[in-house]
Amino acid sequence: KTVNKSNNSTSAFLEGLKGVGAGIIAAFSIDKVLEMSRALLENVERTRELKKELASITGLDGSQLSAATTGTISIAQTFKKDEKEIMISANNMSKTMSITYGEALEELKRGFKEGADASGDMLEQVKEYAPFIKEAGGEAKDLVNIIKSGVVDGVYNDKAIDAVKEGLLRIREMTPATRDAITNLGIDVNDMLEKIKSGQMSYLDAMMLVSKEMDKLGNKSTVTGQALADIFVGPGEDAGFKYISNLYNMNDGVVKLSRSQQEYNRIKDL
């Protein structure tokens, strides 16, 4: 009898634990549901706010606005960036380069995937330098590739694209020192300027020609040293000969990335 009584007490205790466990699980489930509901509402509200801002600055509506909103959020989440920063940079690129917002998003996405944001400031560089690259005759892909090529050659922050800016400015101004430096590279300056004037060549094309001729002569030539100093000045010397002389190759397919960046891209694509 004593044993039966003990067994009955144990059974009753276990049944009680089941009841308590069920209550804990129920309470836990309710908390999780509430937490998920709050997160869902926050996402809905954030999406609504982003969509409203996008409509305001881009003028998009209907399905185009919905696609732009979805695309902006997708890139921000994939590459762990702020949605509004993506929106501002894409809109800047779109308006400056005369392309659609969707096309601008695709260029930013390509930049992220190919490592142009390795230093974390691609979006800032896009906002700052897009107008200048456009004025020099460049396109959105050129802007991203200039930033990316700097990363590939180990030139971080905005030192790379700042060197490009300085070079373009010197070519446009064509001071005596710049003219001499370009002439010594074997380039007919008068012919170059005539082609720029007639629209056969852009300032960016001219700078790529300079880059190509520097690459031909090599780093040990005093002529290329003069070109670096008198065409690309301080920022060019900071960026270095390797970066400047490789610039003309920037649009020739995908520049070889480091193994770590390739692995990063592989994981992003999973």
Side-chain angles (χ1 to χ4, degrees):
K1 289 182 179 179
T2 302
V3 172
N4 289 337
K5 186 176 180 181
S6 175
N7 287 338
N8 290 337
S9 297
T10 301
S11 297
F13 177 71
L14 291 174
E15 287 299 322
L17 282 180
K18 288 181 180 179
V20 172
I24 291 173
I25 292 172
F28 178 77
S29 298
I30 291 171
D31 285 343
K32 291 300 291 181
V33 168
L34 289 174
E35 181 182 335
M36 290 174 65
S37 297
R38 282 193 294 269
L40 180 61
L41 287 173
E42 288 174 3
N43 285 335
V44 169
E45 182 57 34
R46 190 170 69 250
T47 300
R48 184 184 293 117
E49 182 182 343
L50 180 66
K51 194 171 186 178
K52 183 178 179 181
E53 289 189 50
L54 266 171
S56 176
I57 68 172
T58 65
L60 296 173
D61 58 17
S63 61
Q64 289 185 330
L65 177 59
S66 296
T69 304
T70 301
T72 301
I73 293 172
S74 175
I75 292 175
Q77 291 179 346
T78 301
F79 300 102
K80 295 179 173 55
K81 294 292 179 178
D82 182 77
E83 293 162 356
K84 290 188 178 181
E85 284 298 309
I86 296 290
M87 175 186 69
I88 292 169
S89 292
N91 182 62
N92 177 285
M93 180 183 282
S94 170
K95 298 289 176 60
T96 303
M97 297 294 181
S98 301
I99 58 178
T100 68
Y101 184 87
E103 289 170 336
L105 282 181
E106 285 302 312
E107 278 301 324
L108 292 182
K109 182 179 178 181
R110 181 177 69 84
F112 282 122
K113 291 185 71 174
E114 294 182 6
D117 191 53
S119 59
D121 62 352
M122 180 184 76
L123 297 178
E124 284 299 318
Q125 291 190 53
V126 165
K127 287 188 292 184
E128 181 175 353
Y129 292 97
F132 191 83
I133 297 301
K134 175 65 174 179
E135 289 176 9
E139 301 175 0
K141 67 179 179 64
D142 298 316
L143 172 61
V144 172
N145 286 345
I146 288 169
I147 298 171
K148 181 184 72 174
S149 59
V151 173
V152 171
D153 285 333
V155 185
Y156 290 92
N157 300 317
D158 68 341
K159 287 185 177 181
I161 198 166
D162 195 37
V164 171
K165 177 182 177 181
E166 289 299 326
L168 289 169
L169 284 172
R170 292 301 181 280
I171 292 172
R172 291 183 73 168
E173 294 168 355
M174 200 55 74
T175 63
T178 300
R179 177 182 282 271
D180 288 344
I182 294 176
T183 299
N184 290 337
L185 289 172
I187 298 171
D188 187 330
V189 175
N190 290 331
D191 181 62
M192 172 192 284
L193 294 176
E194 187 59 38
K195 286 180 178 177
I196 291 173
K197 185 178 180 180
S198 66
Q200 297 178 59
M201 178 184 285
S202 69
Y203 284 106
L204 188 61
D205 291 332
M207 195 185 69
M208 294 306 163
L209 177 59
V210 168
S211 169
K212 186 175 183 178
E213 294 305 315
M214 288 178 66
D215 187 38
K216 286 181 182 179
L217 290 172
N219 192 22
K220 294 182 179 180
S221 170
T222 57
V223 172
T224 56
Q226 179 193 4
L228 202 61
D230 291 339
I231 302 172
F232 299 93
V233 294
E237 292 175 318
D238 288 340
F241 174 82
K242 181 182 177 182
Y243 173 71
I244 298 299
S245 63
N246 279 339
L247 267 175
Y248 74 98
N249 287 317
M250 71 176 189
N251 288 330
D252 292 344
V254 179
V255 178
K256 185 176 180 181
L257 301 175
S258 66
R259 288 187 178 182
S260 60
Q261 186 62 48
Q262 291 176 19
E263 179 64 12
Y264 173 79
N265 290 344
R266 185 187 69 79
I267 293 171
K268 287 295 183 185
D269 287 334
L270 291 178

